[in-house]
Amino acid sequence: MMNIKEAASRLGISARAIRFYEEKGLILPAKQSSNGYRTYTENDIWRLQTIAALREIGMSLQDITHALGEIDQGNQQRLEEYLELQQAVMYAQWIELKRMMDTTQRMIDLNRQDGPLDVSHLHDLADSARRLREARQNWHDRWNYDTQAAIHDERVQEADSASTRQSISENRHHSDKASPISDEIEVSHPYQDTDHSTPSDSKDTVQSSFYLYHNYDEALEQTAHWISPALGEKGLDIGTGTGNLAGKLLQHGADMTAIDQSREMLRRCRTKYPEMHVKLGNFLALPFADHSFDFVVSSFAFHHLSPDQQGLALQEMQRVLTSRGRIGLTDLMFVDATHRDSYIRQAETTGHEEQLRALRERHFPLLDELCGWLEQQGYVTKHVRHNELLHTLLAVPLR
């Protein structure tokens, strides 16, 4: 047993800090009946050490309260989630600091140029930096995937099966006339490595029913086939959900890490693949050091980001990849702006509410812009088309 001065000396913190934690209800030391002075047990000292450690990494008092509650209940998994959240916050701050340093250096370089300084260039740099900072900070899960985790796998498989049944039925009954997906638009076979004609080369039409997960299994198999991990290669799956794509790559012998912003999705993933490294995180601030992975993949998640956020996400993928690291993206995408505009027009004309809602809520990227950006960064790309919107894209560095 020790008094507050002795406790403060042992812990290397002030007595004032200990009183502050008491006021916030983080610690409740016993009081002597004779004089009302606080006395601190070894358990109190351990608790104060834990509080100080969590404060040292920047955790808020509210989160510390929750974390201590999980510790008291022996829930190590929940405590790990709080620590991962705090780590993600620190990585986001570090990434933002790196961006600010880069912007400052670019301003210095502009100032060193011969001739009078055009201050508008500095303003443009500052505006660009502000816009990217806001894009990084403004993402939120409007779909609340925690509530969908329990039925996610069942929902995906049902949607994939339903869309397949519809396609078979339409092919049987409408073989002699235009179907909701034009017969001139190819649908790929798994492992077919050729590029496909674009909708601007054919009739641009919209499916009679919109299935987000149409050709789901086929697309995941294609991604795993193209990545073809060597035994022990380190891979990262971003927005993993319940781990379906990461699980396929795990079966190929990869050392997989899977991240998602949904705790409940990750719990399902851990149950399915206990040998997988699972971590809270998101596209915009990947909680990993530079050059940590041999490949990065993502499926059915990239379209949740705005166009500005998609650019930031690609930069983050590059950051965590080795110099020979490759990228595999499977998602709903428009081939180009012509395809997008035609798709939107037809959806509006025919009144397909499912398509219109998806277009309002999601940001399907343009495949040609994605490939163009990646090629500018020194990658060679190839892609395959599974249906009207779904594509798999592989990017491999030339260097």
Side-chain angles (χ1 to χ4, degrees), residues 147-324:
T147 63
Q148 301 181 35
I151 60 170
H152 176 73
D153 286 340
E154 179 183 353
R155 175 171 164 254
V156 165
Q157 292 304 321
E158 284 182 355
D160 196 15
S161 298
S163 60
T164 301
R165 289 195 301 270
Q166 183 194 27
S167 295
I168 293 171
S169 175
E170 289 170 347
N171 286 337
R172 285 175 178 170
H173 296 293
H174 301 284
S175 58
D176 294 330
K177 54 187 177 181
S179 64
I181 301 180
S182 171
D183 292 334
E184 295 180 66
I185 298 177
E186 295 184 55
V187 176
S188 70
H189 186 278
Y191 313 150
Q192 184 173 344
D193 291 356
T194 56
D195 292 345
H196 292 275
S197 61
T198 68
S200 56
D201 297 326
S202 60
K203 298 176 183 177
D204 293 315
T205 53
V206 179
Q207 287 179 259
S208 59
S209 295
F210 180 81
Y211 294 100
L212 182 63
Y213 297 110
H214 188 193
N215 300 108
Y216 180 83
D217 285 331
E218 172 191 311
L220 297 195
E221 290 289 351
Q222 178 73 64
T223 309
H225 172 71
W226 270 0
I227 291 293
S228 295
L231 185 64
E233 272 198 312
K234 295 183 180 299
L236 173 64
D237 182 15
I238 308 173
T240 192
T242 61
N244 293 327
L245 176 55
K248 291 182 183 296
L249 290 159
L250 195 69
Q251 292 168 4
H252 279 68
D255 180 6
M256 288 303 300
T257 297
I259 71 167
D260 202 284
Q261 53 78 38
S262 167
R263 288 190 182 93
E264 296 302 323
M265 287 286 190
L266 290 181
R267 285 176 185 154
R268 295 274 168 177
C269 183
R270 284 190 184 98
T271 300
K272 290 164 62 177
Y273 306 106
E275 68 274 43
M276 193 181 295
H277 311 294
V278 175
K279 198 179 189 73
L280 281 167
N282 64 64
F283 278 103
L284 303 180
L286 298 175
F288 306 101
D290 296 359
H291 316 305
S292 294
F293 298 99
D294 298 301
F295 63 87
V296 171
V297 296
S298 183
S299 62
F300 298 88
F302 195 69
H303 66 259
H304 290 137
L305 305 174
S306 70
D308 281 345
Q309 290 168 341
Q310 289 172 4
L312 291 171
L314 290 170
Q315 293 174 27
E316 274 293 272
M317 292 180 200
Q318 275 192 299
R319 180 182 67 79
V320 301
L321 280 170
T322 63
S323 60
R324 296 295 300 166

Side-chain angles (χ1 to χ4, degrees), residues 28-39:
L28 299 171
K31 292 185 179 181
Q32 298 180 29
S33 57
S34 58
N35 55 24
Y37 289 165
R38 300 171 180 83
T39 57

Side-chain angles (χ1 to χ4, degrees), residues 36 60 226 229 283 334 382:
S60 69
W226 270 0
F283 278 103
F334 295 112
K382 65 176 179 178

Side-chain angles (χ1 to χ4, degrees), residues 42-99:
E42 286 299 322
N43 186 63
D44 292 327
I45 296 300
W46 174 87
R47 195 173 182 86
L48 281 166
Q49 286 177 319
T50 304
I51 294 168
L54 297 177
R55 286 293 285 169
E56 184 65 25
I57 63 173
M59 189 175 286
S60 69
L61 291 176
Q62 183 179 11
D63 284 341
I64 289 175
T65 301
H66 292 313
L68 289 172
E70 301 300 343
I71 292 172
D72 292 340
Q73 296 175 30
N75 192 338
Q76 286 184 274
Q77 186 56 58
R78 287 288 287 170
L79 174 61
E80 184 175 321
E81 289 173 359
Y82 280 110
L83 293 173
E84 286 178 349
L85 276 174
Q86 187 59 31
Q87 185 183 54
V89 169
M90 290 188 288
Y91 265 103
Q93 292 170 342
W94 172 62
I95 290 164
E96 185 61 25
L97 180 60
K98 286 179 65 178
R99 185 203 56 76

